[in-house]
């Protein structure tokens, strides 16, 4: 039976470019691989021989825009989740599987059941992960037909957060930034060419993650980490997020005896309040690639 694949054209050889394994691309993959006025090609390996085969072939090759909710989880997992689809899920799909992957390796598979009331697939529990960051989630039907892909973000636990702000696990921090940067590049771009917030892990959640790291650094006196964050454009975004809090990081730092870190935060507050009063625009999105490079510089 024939199978469909998405492809672009290699401008140098006029050959189809499948960008990896032959498959139907989801929306984010199309946006990443097809730029400007480039054409998206749907290639069929071998045509089916009858009408029913055509219908089954289309069903087996229809990939959806899949969205998992919730889109974030603590490392231990445990919460129920659902996966919704655009377009609406084919009625022949009654159950399925969610394969959770890190760097291409499956670390958990969860059975899915179709909701009676809502057009989605439900999973009983988000599986636990060993490390923070984005996990790829591959959704299959009960017949093991690939339906689509989505991603889920695992928050670091308390120990990992402490290790990251003290650069005891620099590879963990850098991998986290690289994961976010990769997802960031896959999202839409604005008309000015600036990247928008990650389509998987929204802007508010990204800021919340950095605030968690900043407040941990304040509590533990990890001034080098704080200096790194505020050397990047993300520093202004984080500051604007916490500046109205009842307890500022400098207060937390002082309460825990980290006087040098407290003074640094106080100077940052003065500088950024003055900057915002002049009308200087705050960046709209966190540049994770900039943070990854800053992490490297800190380790040199």
């Amino acid at each position: 039976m024939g199978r469909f694949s998405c492809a672009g054209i290699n401008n140098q050889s006029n050959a189809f470019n499948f960008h990896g394994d032959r498959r139907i691309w989801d929306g984010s993959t199309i946006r990443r691989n097809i730029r400007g006025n480039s054409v998206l090609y749907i290639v069929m390996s071998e045509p089916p021989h009858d009408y029913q085969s055509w219908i089954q072939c289309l069903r087996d090759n229809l990939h959806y825009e899949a969205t998992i909710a919730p889109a974030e989880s603590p490392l231990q997992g445990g919460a129920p989740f659902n996966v919704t689809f655009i377009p609406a899920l084919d009625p022949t799909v009654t159950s399925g599987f969610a394969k959770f992957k890190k760097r291409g390796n499956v670390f958990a598979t969860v059975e899915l059941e179709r909701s009676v009331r809502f057009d989605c697939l439900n999973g009983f529990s988000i599986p636990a992960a060993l490390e923070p960051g984005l996990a790829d989630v591959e959704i299959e039907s009960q017949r093991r037909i690939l339906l689509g892909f989505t991603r889920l973000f695992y928050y670091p636990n308390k120990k990992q957060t402490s290790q990251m702000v003290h650069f005891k696990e620099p590879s963990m921090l850098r991998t986290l930034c690289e994961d976010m940067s990769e997802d960031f590049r896959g999202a839409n771009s604005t008309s000015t060419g600036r990247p928008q917030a990650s389509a998987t892990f929204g802007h508010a959640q990204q800021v919340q993650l950095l605030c968690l790291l900043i407040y941990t650094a304040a509590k533990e006196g990890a001034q080098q980490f704080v200096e790194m964050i505020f050397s990047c454009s993300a520093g202004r975004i984080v500051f604007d997020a916490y500046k109205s809090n009842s307890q500022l990081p400098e207060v937390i730092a002082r309460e825990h005896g980290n006087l040098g870190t407290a003074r640094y935060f106080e100077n940052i507050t003065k500088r950024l309040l003055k900057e915002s009063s002049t009308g200087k625009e705050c960046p709209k999105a966190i540049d994770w690639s900039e943070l990854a490079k800053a992490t490297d510089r800190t380790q040199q």
Side-chain angles (χ1 to χ4, degrees):
M1 183 176 294
R3 292 192 65 84
F4 295 104
S5 303
C6 286
I9 283 288
N10 187 313
N11 292 329
Q12 295 179 342
S13 63
N14 287 329
F16 286 126
N17 187 348
F18 294 96
H19 294 278
D21 296 335
R22 295 192 178 201
R23 66 200 188 284
I24 293 293
W25 299 340
D26 59 16
S28 61
T29 306
I30 292 173
R31 290 190 292 269
R32 185 168 61 249
N33 293 337
I34 304 298
R35 302 285 185 173
N37 294 323
S38 300
V39 177
L40 171 67
Y41 291 86
I42 306 297
V43 182
M44 192 172 192
S45 58
E46 179 184 343
H49 304 294
D50 58 75
Y51 175 76
Q52 289 301 323
S53 295
W54 269 105
I55 297 300
Q56 192 60 53
C57 182
L58 287 169
R59 284 174 171 168
D60 289 350
N61 286 277
L62 178 59
H63 288 203
Y64 300 83
E65 287 272 5
T67 303
I68 191 170
E72 62 273 342
S73 168
L75 273 182
Q76 67 268 25
F81 66 96
N82 66 68
V83 184
T84 55
F85 300 89
I86 298 176
L89 199 58
D90 189 277
T92 61
V93 178
T94 57
S95 61
F97 303 91
K99 294 162 64 176
F100 290 76
K101 296 181 174 182
K102 269 282 195 179
R103 299 180 191 86
N105 298 315
V106 177
F107 65 86
T109 300
V110 177
E111 292 186 7
L112 304 174
E113 292 294 333
R114 185 155 185 164
S115 170
V116 176
R117 295 181 57 193
F118 304 103
D119 197 14
C120 65
L121 294 177
N122 294 330
F124 178 73
S125 175
I126 293 174
L130 294 177
E131 59 184 78
L134 287 164
D136 295 309
V137 186
E138 190 174 293
I139 310 299
E140 296 178 339
S141 72
Q142 72 272 19
R143 296 174 54 223
R144 292 291 187 176
I145 301 298
L146 180 63
L147 299 176
F149 303 89
T150 184
R151 304 184 96 183
L152 180 137
F153 184 84
Y154 283 97
Y155 278 101
N157 60 28
K158 186 176 180 180
K159 179 181 178 181
Q160 291 167 331
T161 302
S162 178
Q163 289 174 331
M164 283 193 280
V165 301
H166 287 290
F167 297 104
K168 292 180 180 178
E169 290 288 347
S171 61
M172 184 186 298
L173 178 59
R174 196 185 198 292
T175 299
L176 179 66
C177 293
E178 287 176 340
D179 279 354
M180 299 303 296
S181 180
E182 179 186 348
D183 198 52
F184 189 90
R185 288 194 300 269
N188 285 327
S189 295
T190 65
S191 58
T192 61
R194 297 174 184 170
Q196 294 178 324
S198 162
T200 301
F201 193 54
H203 179 71
Q205 290 88 349
Q206 294 178 46
V207 175
Q208 183 181 0
L209 171 63
L210 286 186
C211 283
L212 169 66
L213 293 171
I214 282 290
Y215 272 82
T216 300
K219 181 179 178 181
E220 300 187 8
Q223 186 170 328
Q224 187 181 22
F225 178 84
V226 177
E227 291 176 359
M228 183 198 78
I229 293 295
F230 285 101
S231 72
C232 299
S233 58
R236 172 69 188 278
I237 298 175
V238 176
F239 173 76
D240 279 8
Y242 73 63
K243 66 182 180 182
S244 299
N245 289 356
S246 57
Q247 279 203 312
L248 296 174
E250 47 261 50
V251 175
I252 300 295
R254 195 171 294 278
E255 286 180 350
H256 287 82
N258 305 313
L259 302 184
T261 305
R263 285 192 292 271
Y264 182 82
F265 271 118
E266 288 166 352
N267 290 333
I268 286 293
T269 297
K270 291 176 184 177
R271 175 171 67 83
L272 293 183
L273 282 176
K274 183 178 180 180
E275 184 177 291
S276 59
S277 68
T278 62
K280 185 174 181 180
E281 186 178 354
C282 178
K284 301 299 183 185
I286 295 170
D287 188 341
W288 289 97
S289 62
E290 182 187 20
L291 287 172
K293 293 173 184 175
T295 301
D296 285 343
R297 288 196 300 271
T298 304
Q299 299 307 302
Q300 292 175 354

